Amino acid sequence: MSELRELYQQVILDHTKRPRNRRALGEGSHHAEGHNPLCGDRVTVYVELDAERIKDLAFEGSGCAISTASASMMTERLNGLTVDEADAVFEAFHDLVTGSGDPAAHEQRLDKLVVFAGVREFPVRIKCATLAWHTLRAALQDRQETVTTE
């Protein structure tokens, strides 16, 4: 268990210090904004689709280490997937961090995202980890209201 915790810390710190795909996308992209009032995290998620496939996925915003790392890793994992495939990864990730499922059952689908399994031990951090994911769903549905974790 200590090895998983150490890996978790290393991956989170890496994606916090050097977030991947942290940028805005141009015209024609879908986007949505999210806010976690509890800790002040704010994120804008941008999605460019090619038919039903995610052609490009990016984010901007500010937040805690968990929120930033989750958004960064989400963009890496979902780029190139179909919307349905991305939705399946969303469900697996949500189950993982909320403790609703067995992490081993989702290991292949989640790939490196399994490091977030430790978040379930800190219920207040679940909202940090899932903010970008819920915001992505809103972007894909062209919802205009700000996504909130409350």
Side-chain angles (χ1 to χ4, degrees), residues 41-98:
D41 297 339
R42 292 193 174 273
V43 67
T44 303
V45 174
Y46 302 91
V47 186
E48 186 178 337
L49 296 174
D50 181 12
E52 285 295 310
R53 187 164 299 278
I54 297 173
K55 182 178 177 182
D56 201 1
L57 180 58
F59 78 101
E60 290 184 307
S62 60
C64 67
I66 301 294
S67 178
T68 301
S70 182
S72 175
M73 292 180 72
M74 176 190 76
T75 64
E76 282 194 321
R77 178 65 184 95
L78 302 184
N79 257 325
L81 298 183
T82 67
V83 172
D84 288 342
E85 290 167 338
D87 193 53
V89 175
F90 171 93
E91 292 298 332
F93 182 78
H94 194 267
D95 287 352
L96 176 79
V97 298
T98 61

Side-chain angles (χ1 to χ4, degrees), residues 31-32 133-145 147:
H31 69 279
W133 295 80
H134 287 290
T135 307
L136 169 64
R137 270 198 165 164
L140 290 170
Q141 297 168 358
D142 280 328
R143 293 195 336 240
Q144 299 303 308
E145 71 277 357
V147 174

